[in-house]
Amino acid sequence: MVIIQQQDFDLAEEYRKLRDSGDSTGAIATFTGLVRDYGDLNDVTGLFLEHYPGMTEHVIEGLIAEAGKRWDVRAARVIHRVGTLALGDQIVFVGVCSAHRGDAFAACQFIMDALKTSAPFWKKELSRQGDHWVEQKDSDREQAEQWRESSD
């Protein structure tokens, strides 16, 4: 399941939904990203995120499907927030259920890493010095490339 929304999400509720996905689940791996006070700029006061409605969900659903081809994924949830976010706010949640921890960890990391370079999101850092649109980072592209190489 993929959800793009402005409002915050409840980690306990999202975990419960994954936990209730079935008796064959033996492991749940999750990742939660937060707004921090630095990025390209050192005095970030918040973020503004935009996305391409419809296409964003489609791309992330494809990443979940790809993870399901590589690992035993019983269920997956991705929530990504858009709009204006303050320091410490939750931005993204990725959760994956599997029969075994290795598959859950790998699929969760793959989805998050691939999301950073594939999904059509645009992020603007807000700061006291002014606003700054964030470019995709080399380290994110390199991590995504490692996943592509490992599938060959």
Side-chain angles (χ1 to χ4, degrees):
M1 171 173 274
V2 176
I3 301 169
I4 309 298
Q5 63 188 31
Q6 288 189 352
Q7 67 271 24
D8 199 6
F9 49 87
D10 182 326
L11 287 175
E13 178 67 15
E14 296 310 317
Y15 179 84
R16 185 194 60 73
K17 289 175 182 175
L18 288 166
R19 177 98 163 97
D20 292 346
S21 66
D23 291 336
S24 63
T25 293
I28 299 172
T30 66
F31 171 83
T32 306
L34 307 173
V35 177
R36 61 183 182 219
D37 65 354
Y38 67 94
D40 288 354
L41 304 173
N42 289 325
D43 64 345
V44 173
T45 59
L47 294 177
F48 176 76
L49 290 108
E50 293 182 337
H51 77 298
Y52 184 150
M55 180 59 74
T56 305
E57 294 87 342
H58 179 74
V59 167
I60 297 171
E61 287 165 359
L63 298 175
I64 293 170
E66 177 66 25
K69 291 177 186 173
R70 294 176 177 221
W71 301 281
D72 173 26
V73 174
R74 306 294 169 99
R77 295 182 65 78
V78 175
I79 301 172
H80 205 298
R81 294 181 64 197
V82 293
T84 302
L85 303 173
L87 293 180
D89 281 355
Q90 300 177 132
I91 305 170
V92 61
F93 171 85
V94 177
V96 176
C97 296
S98 181
H100 304 285
R101 70 180 179 274
D103 285 352
F105 280 134
C108 186
Q109 184 176 0
F110 166 79
I111 292 168
M112 187 62 229
D113 287 348
L115 184 154
K116 293 277 290 181
T117 58
S118 302
F121 287 102
W122 297 274
K123 178 169 69 172
K124 184 190 297 184
E125 292 178 344
L126 310 176
S127 81
R128 289 176 280 284
Q129 296 175 324
D131 300 343
H132 167 75
W133 286 103
V134 176
E135 297 288 327
Q136 200 174 75
K137 301 204 177 346
D138 289 340
S139 59
D140 290 334
R141 285 191 295 272
E142 290 165 6
Q143 185 64 38
E145 182 60 31
Q146 288 180 2
W147 287 112
R148 280 189 286 279
E149 291 171 0
S150 71
S151 70
D152 295 340

